Amino acid sequence: MHRFHIPNMSCGGCARSVTQALLGVDPQARIETDPPAREVRVDSALDESAFLAALQQAGYPDKP
């Protein structure tokens, strides 16, 4: 499972946008968003780098 911290994911609308961007990489992925914690968890066999690129392109870059 991959975990990403998304500082600018602050509401349900943001969470839906993040989810759609990640599903574009792997439509079979299981995605859990937590806007108050600004965290998203992705259960997928694909490499983390593909998800990082999709988040960046969608305007929701992962931050440590």
Side-chain angles (χ1 to χ4, degrees):
M1 179 171 292
H2 309 295
R3 288 180 181 254
F4 304 102
H5 179 69
I6 314 293
N8 61 344
M9 182 180 71
S10 58
C11 67
C14 298
R16 281 189 293 281
S17 296
V18 165
T19 298
Q20 290 304 312
L22 296 171
L23 287 174
V25 174
D26 180 1
Q28 306 305 315
R30 221 180 75 226
I31 298 167
E32 299 172 23
T33 57
D34 185 352
R38 291 173 167 46
E39 183 177 270
V40 62
R41 293 173 297 282
V42 181
D43 188 6
S44 172
L46 295 183
D47 190 70
E48 184 176 284
S49 63
F51 295 108
L52 287 170
L55 288 169
Q56 179 75 30
Q57 187 174 22
Y60 294 96
D62 173 61
K63 299 284 186 212

PDB file of all heavy atoms in Angstrom, residues 20-33:
ATOM      1  N   GLN A  20      -9.925  10.477  -8.647  1.00  0.00           N
ATOM      2  CA  GLN A  20     -10.042  10.318 -10.103  1.00  0.00           C
ATOM      3  C   GLN A  20      -8.669  10.289 -10.770  1.00  0.00           C
ATOM      4  O   GLN A  20      -8.436   9.497 -11.694  1.00  0.00           O
ATOM      5  CB  GLN A  20     -10.902  11.439 -10.696  1.00  0.00           C
ATOM      6  CG  GLN A  20     -12.365  11.322 -10.324  1.00  0.00           C
ATOM      7  CD  GLN A  20     -12.961   9.976 -10.706  1.00  0.00           C
ATOM      8  OE1 GLN A  20     -12.796   9.492 -11.812  1.00  0.00           O
ATOM      9  NE2 GLN A  20     -13.659   9.363  -9.760  1.00  0.00           N
ATOM     10  N   ALA A  21      -7.764  11.137 -10.317  1.00  0.00           N
ATOM     11  CA  ALA A  21      -6.413  11.151 -10.893  1.00  0.00           C
ATOM     12  C   ALA A  21      -5.718   9.812 -10.655  1.00  0.00           C
ATOM     13  O   ALA A  21      -5.068   9.269 -11.563  1.00  0.00           O
ATOM     14  CB  ALA A  21      -5.596  12.291 -10.287  1.00  0.00           C
ATOM     15  N   LEU A  22      -5.864   9.263  -9.467  1.00  0.00           N
ATOM     16  CA  LEU A  22      -5.212   7.990  -9.151  1.00  0.00           C
ATOM     17  C   LEU A  22      -5.861   6.824  -9.873  1.00  0.00           C
ATOM     18  O   LEU A  22      -5.167   5.904 -10.320  1.00  0.00           O
ATOM     19  CB  LEU A  22      -5.224   7.775  -7.638  1.00  0.00           C
ATOM     20  CG  LEU A  22      -4.409   8.798  -6.844  1.00  0.00           C
ATOM     21  CD1 LEU A  22      -4.663   8.632  -5.356  1.00  0.00           C
ATOM     22  CD2 LEU A  22      -2.941   8.715  -7.169  1.00  0.00           C
ATOM     23  N   LEU A  23      -7.178   6.854 -10.014  1.00  0.00           N
ATOM     24  CA  LEU A  23      -7.857   5.790 -10.763  1.00  0.00           C
ATOM     25  C   LEU A  23      -7.490   5.832 -12.240  1.00  0.00           C
ATOM     26  O   LEU A  23      -7.572   4.813 -12.922  1.00  0.00           O
ATOM     27  CB  LEU A  23      -9.373   5.891 -10.580  1.00  0.00           C
ATOM     28  CG  LEU A  23      -9.898   5.477  -9.209  1.00  0.00           C
ATOM     29  CD1 LEU A  23     -11.389   5.757  -9.112  1.00  0.00           C
ATOM     30  CD2 LEU A  23      -9.608   4.001  -8.930  1.00  0.00           C
ATOM     31  N   GLY A  24      -7.078   6.990 -12.737  1.00  0.00           N
ATOM     32  CA  GLY A  24      -6.606   7.093 -14.115  1.00  0.00           C
ATOM     33  C   GLY A  24      -5.326   6.293 -14.336  1.00  0.00           C
ATOM     34  O   GLY A  24      -5.039   5.852 -15.444  1.00  0.00           O
ATOM     35  N   VAL A  25      -4.558   6.100 -13.280  1.00  0.00           N
ATOM     36  CA  VAL A  25      -3.333   5.307 -13.349  1.00  0.00           C
ATOM     37  C   VAL A  25      -3.657   3.822 -13.233  1.00  0.00           C
ATOM     38  O   VAL A  25      -3.156   3.008 -13.991  1.00  0.00           O
ATOM     39  CB  VAL A  25      -2.347   5.720 -12.223  1.00  0.00           C
ATOM     40  CG1 VAL A  25      -1.137   4.813 -12.203  1.00  0.00           C
ATOM     41  CG2 VAL A  25      -1.935   7.169 -12.388  1.00  0.00           C
ATOM     42  N   ASP A  26      -4.512   3.481 -12.273  1.00  0.00           N
ATOM     43  CA  ASP A  26      -4.888   2.086 -12.039  1.00  0.00           C
ATOM     44  C   ASP A  26      -6.371   2.025 -11.680  1.00  0.00           C
ATOM     45  O   ASP A  26      -6.738   2.254 -10.518  1.00  0.00           O
ATOM     46  CB  ASP A  26      -4.046   1.484 -10.913  1.00  0.00           C
ATOM     47  CG  ASP A  26      -4.399   0.025 -10.627  1.00  0.00           C
ATOM     48  OD1 ASP A  26      -5.276  -0.534 -11.314  1.00  0.00           O
ATOM     49  OD2 ASP A  26      -3.797  -0.549  -9.706  1.00  0.00           O
ATOM     50  N   PRO A  27      -7.229   1.746 -12.657  1.00  0.00           N
ATOM     51  CA  PRO A  27      -8.668   1.698 -12.387  1.00  0.00           C
ATOM     52  C   PRO A  27      -9.071   0.645 -11.350  1.00  0.00           C
ATOM     53  O   PRO A  27     -10.149   0.721 -10.782  1.00  0.00           O
ATOM     54  CB  PRO A  27      -9.279   1.366 -13.753  1.00  0.00           C
ATOM     55  CG  PRO A  27      -8.242   1.713 -14.746  1.00  0.00           C
ATOM     56  CD  PRO A  27      -6.922   1.527 -14.062  1.00  0.00           C
ATOM     57  N   GLN A  28      -8.213  -0.313 -11.088  1.00  0.00           N
ATOM     58  CA  GLN A  28      -8.515  -1.372 -10.117  1.00  0.00           C
ATOM     59  C   GLN A  28      -8.013  -1.043  -8.712  1.00  0.00           C
ATOM     60  O   GLN A  28      -8.246  -1.809  -7.779  1.00  0.00           O
ATOM     61  CB  GLN A  28      -7.876  -2.692 -10.572  1.00  0.00           C
ATOM     62  CG  GLN A  28      -8.233  -3.113 -11.979  1.00  0.00           C
ATOM     63  CD  GLN A  28      -9.731  -3.187 -12.208  1.00  0.00           C
ATOM     64  OE1 GLN A  28     -10.455  -3.727 -11.391  1.00  0.00           O
ATOM     65  NE2 GLN A  28     -10.190  -2.624 -13.309  1.00  0.00           N
ATOM     66  N   ALA A  29      -7.335   0.080  -8.547  1.00  0.00           N
ATOM     67  CA  ALA A  29      -6.760   0.442  -7.247  1.00  0.00           C
ATOM     68  C   ALA A  29      -7.857   0.698  -6.225  1.00  0.00           C
ATOM     69  O   ALA A  29      -8.937   1.181  -6.561  1.00  0.00           O
ATOM     70  CB  ALA A  29      -5.890   1.681  -7.388  1.00  0.00           C
ATOM     71  N   ARG A  30      -7.554   0.370  -4.982  1.00  0.00           N
ATOM     72  CA  ARG A  30      -8.440   0.714  -3.871  1.00  0.00           C
ATOM     73  C   ARG A  30      -7.871   1.965  -3.225  1.00  0.00           C
ATOM     74  O   ARG A  30      -6.714   1.973  -2.796  1.00  0.00           O
ATOM     75  CB  ARG A  30      -8.493  -0.433  -2.866  1.00  0.00           C
ATOM     76  CG  ARG A  30      -9.898  -0.656  -2.343  1.00  0.00           C
ATOM     77  CD  ARG A  30      -9.989  -1.783  -1.355  1.00  0.00           C
ATOM     78  NE  ARG A  30      -9.425  -1.311  -0.097  1.00  0.00           N
ATOM     79  CZ  ARG A  30      -8.563  -1.977   0.649  1.00  0.00           C
ATOM     80  NH1 ARG A  30      -8.156  -3.162   0.278  1.00  0.00           N
ATOM     81  NH2 ARG A  30      -8.099  -1.477   1.765  1.00  0.00           N
ATOM     82  N   ILE A  31      -8.663   3.023  -3.179  1.00  0.00           N
ATOM     83  CA  ILE A  31      -8.177   4.316  -2.728  1.00  0.00           C
ATOM     84  C   ILE A  31      -8.994   4.788  -1.534  1.00  0.00           C
ATOM     85  O   ILE A  31     -10.220   4.750  -1.557  1.00  0.00           O
ATOM     86  CB  ILE A  31      -8.253   5.345  -3.876  1.00  0.00           C
ATOM     87  CG1 ILE A  31      -7.354   4.870  -5.011  1.00  0.00           C
ATOM     88  CG2 ILE A  31      -7.860   6.735  -3.393  1.00  0.00           C
ATOM     89  CD1 ILE A  31      -7.544   5.589  -6.300  1.00  0.00           C
ATOM     90  N   GLU A  32      -8.293   5.219  -0.500  1.00  0.00           N
ATOM     91  CA  GLU A  32      -8.926   5.779   0.692  1.00  0.00           C
ATOM     92  C   GLU A  32      -8.366   7.177   0.904  1.00  0.00           C
ATOM     93  O   GLU A  32      -7.148   7.341   0.987  1.00  0.00           O
ATOM     94  CB  GLU A  32      -8.607   4.923   1.924  1.00  0.00           C
ATOM     95  CG  GLU A  32      -9.090   3.507   1.834  1.00  0.00           C
ATOM     96  CD  GLU A  32      -8.584   2.658   2.992  1.00  0.00           C
ATOM     97  OE1 GLU A  32      -8.236   3.224   4.052  1.00  0.00           O
ATOM     98  OE2 GLU A  32      -8.538   1.436   2.816  1.00  0.00           O
ATOM     99  N   THR A  33      -9.250   8.164   0.959  1.00  0.00           N
ATOM    100  CA  THR A  33      -8.804   9.532   1.200  1.00  0.00           C
ATOM    101  C   THR A  33      -9.227   9.966   2.597  1.00  0.00           C
ATOM    102  O   THR A  33     -10.265   9.552   3.101  1.00  0.00           O
ATOM    103  CB  THR A  33      -9.390  10.507   0.166  1.00  0.00           C
ATOM    104  OG1 THR A  33     -10.814  10.419   0.204  1.00  0.00           O
ATOM    105  CG2 THR A  33      -8.891  10.197  -1.240  1.00  0.00           C
TER     106      THR A  33
END
